[in-house]
Amino acid sequence: MEALRGCQYLETLTVDPANPNYLSAGNCVIDKRNGELILGADTAVIPTDGSVRTIAKRAFMNRTGLKKISIPDSVTTIGAYAFEGCSALEEVTFGKGLEYIETYAFTGCSSLREIRIASALAIYDYAFKDCTGLELAVLPDACEALAGRIFENCTSLRSVKLPAKLGYLDTLFVN
């Protein structure tokens, strides 16, 4: 959905109900064919009806008005750069079905103070880079891999709880 990518003050998204490929719900555009949320507005509420399985690469990138988001249990993957630059994002609730948080997914979310991830098998490179307000990170016990520098430049980070099943750990912190 590159056509609307630079519209940083986008508040409302609707798709004609007759569209066979896309639907709109909660100020989000969802690809019906694969359950991928491809674009979200500042006022987005991700549907909890199971219609969303993946948050696409750059779906919420630079949504500077987005303050709170809840990731439903049906979502298994948060794509690369999905929430990058959401500088006003203060609260993220992670669903229990989450398996992967891809590279740079929350980079630059400087208002984020705390993350408590219920489930994820892997968190990839720079996932929370430049989250300068982040103070607490609780990672899921099921997590098996934490890739490089997921907390780079998280200058306020005071506490991290590492997972019980962790089998691969790369450099987490670089300031």
Side-chain angles (χ1 to χ4, degrees), residues 5 14 35 45 66 81 95 99 102 106 114 122 129 137 147 157 171:
R5 195 71 64 209
T14 56
V45 176
L66 184 67
Y81 308 95
E99 295 178 6
E102 295 185 355
F106 291 91
E114 173 179 307
K129 180 182 185 285
L157 193 59
T171 307

Side-chain angles (χ1 to χ4, degrees), residues 70-111:
S70 182
I71 312 295
D73 292 345
S74 62
V75 172
T76 60
T77 303
I78 297 174
Y81 308 95
F83 293 92
E84 181 186 22
C86 293
S87 57
L89 187 61
E90 298 172 351
E91 183 181 336
V92 178
T93 304
F94 294 93
K96 294 177 181 152
L98 190 61
E99 295 178 6
Y100 305 103
I101 298 175
E102 295 185 355
T103 59
Y104 297 96
F106 291 91
T107 293
C109 294
S110 55
S111 296

Side-chain angles (χ1 to χ4, degrees), residues 90 92 94 101 106 112-119 123 127-129 131-141 143 146 149-152 154-164 166 169 172-173:
E90 298 172 351
V92 178
F94 294 93
I101 298 175
F106 291 91
L112 199 55
R113 301 278 177 254
E114 173 179 307
I115 56 167
R116 294 178 183 274
I117 303 170
S119 69
I123 302 172
F128 296 94
K129 180 182 185 285
C131 292
T132 54
L134 189 62
E135 297 174 0
L136 171 69
V138 178
L139 304 176
D141 285 335
C143 190
L146 297 173
R149 300 179 176 190
I150 64 172
F151 296 114
E152 181 172 278
C154 292
T155 54
S156 298
L157 193 59
R158 302 285 179 256
S159 180
V160 175
K161 180 187 178 286
L162 295 175
L166 190 61
L169 176 65
L172 290 182
F173 316 99

Side-chain angles (χ1 to χ4, degrees), residues 14-24 32:
T14 56
V15 174
D16 187 305
N19 188 304
N21 301 313
Y22 301 100
L23 68 93
S24 56
K32 292 180 186 180

